[in-house]
Amino acid sequence: MLQYILNGLPIGAIYALVALSYSFIYAASGVLNWSQGDMVMLGAYVGFTIYQVLNLGFTPALFISMAAVAIAGVLVQQLILKPLRKRNSPPVNVIIGTLGASIILRNIALMIWGPDAQLFPSPVSTKPIAAGVMSMTPQDILIVIVSIIIMIIFQYLLKYTKEGKASRAVTQDRYAAVLMGINTERSDGVAFATSAALGAAAGILIAPIFFVTFNMGAGIGLKGFVAAVVGGLGSVPGAIAGGFFIGIVESIAGGQISSGYRDAITFTILILVLWLRPSGLFLRKRKQKV
């Protein structure tokens, strides 16, 4: 059982990063960005180009891909969210707009990199490291460590920087934030850029395990969204906990039952959570006095 838990940590870390990106955008801007999964794909492709084609190191590829995809996130906010909000469009129109952006990004990737799957070589050894009866590959360890570091940095920036505090204020009460002089459009841009960068990090970290394809973001993005809902959509700690929870559950289900049932079990958990605890498994209810 411990081996299954270890196996679930790397994919759980990826789900946590993607879930975090969904939750942060939802909390800061109040919309669901369905192009978020394709930010994972863009991160993988940009990282592949920098690391494999330009022969730069893995660390430069990680940071450059995060910066490049962050720009793509800002473009989605500027070209879709901002004009639709100015027209007082209903939230569903914004969601449909981000879905259109997802399809556009996927087709742009198809035109640039082609339909063939690309192999992203691992920057570390592929030989498993054994400790007793348990083992873990260096690539899996790298995914978990880098993901946790990124989450810690994200939490620090959210709590102690000016932009992070502004995003937290908008999250708590958007109207009150406007009255206090906070530029909510700028806050939206920061949320989209940061979330896109998180997705890019997930993409380049998972790329050495899976082939890089133009539609790889669809499945990972959907699982990340499930993790965000299970953990508590809009909650940063809930998204992280939900990501690791889904990853470990999938690993145990694949090992104890069958790998073919992993998706069914994941979405069964989602339905049960929506029935029994719609706010999420790890989201605490806050009491307010009025």
Side-chain angles (χ1 to χ4, degrees), residues 4-170:
Y4 294 136
I5 294 175
L6 283 179
N7 293 342
L9 290 179
I11 191 64
I14 298 299
Y15 291 161
L17 285 175
V18 180
L20 190 58
S21 67
Y22 274 110
S23 283
F24 185 48
I25 285 184
Y26 181 77
S29 63
V31 299
L32 290 174
N33 180 17
W34 284 113
S35 68
Q36 195 57 43
D38 291 282
M39 301 301 173
V40 176
M41 175 269 298
L42 280 180
Y45 266 125
V46 174
F48 167 80
T49 302
I50 296 169
Y51 181 68
Q52 185 72 357
V53 179
L54 301 181
N55 293 319
L56 295 180
F58 182 80
T59 302
L62 174 64
F63 288 115
I64 294 173
S65 65
M66 290 177 70
V69 178
I71 296 173
V74 173
L75 288 176
V76 172
Q77 183 265 335
Q78 288 290 320
L79 298 177
I80 295 176
L81 178 64
K82 184 177 178 179
L84 288 177
R85 275 205 165 140
K86 283 186 175 180
R87 292 174 173 81
N88 293 319
S89 298
V92 67
N93 288 9
V94 179
I95 295 174
I96 294 172
T98 62
L99 182 60
S102 171
I103 297 172
I104 292 171
L105 290 172
R106 211 169 296 175
N107 281 272
I108 290 174
L110 180 62
M111 288 188 295
I112 295 175
W113 289 283
D116 296 331
Q118 304 291 341
L119 177 62
F120 195 118
S122 175
V124 292
S125 173
T126 57
K127 185 178 180 181
I129 299 175
V133 295
M134 296 181 294
S135 64
M136 203 172 185
T137 66
Q139 178 62 38
D140 290 341
I141 297 173
L142 177 68
I143 290 173
V144 175
I145 293 176
V146 174
S147 296
I148 292 175
I149 291 174
I150 291 174
M151 293 173 197
I152 292 173
I153 294 174
F154 172 80
Q155 292 271 38
Y156 176 83
L157 295 176
L158 192 61
K159 288 184 177 180
Y160 298 108
T161 65
K162 180 180 178 181
E163 296 296 342
K165 292 177 181 178
S167 296
R168 289 165 57 198
V170 174

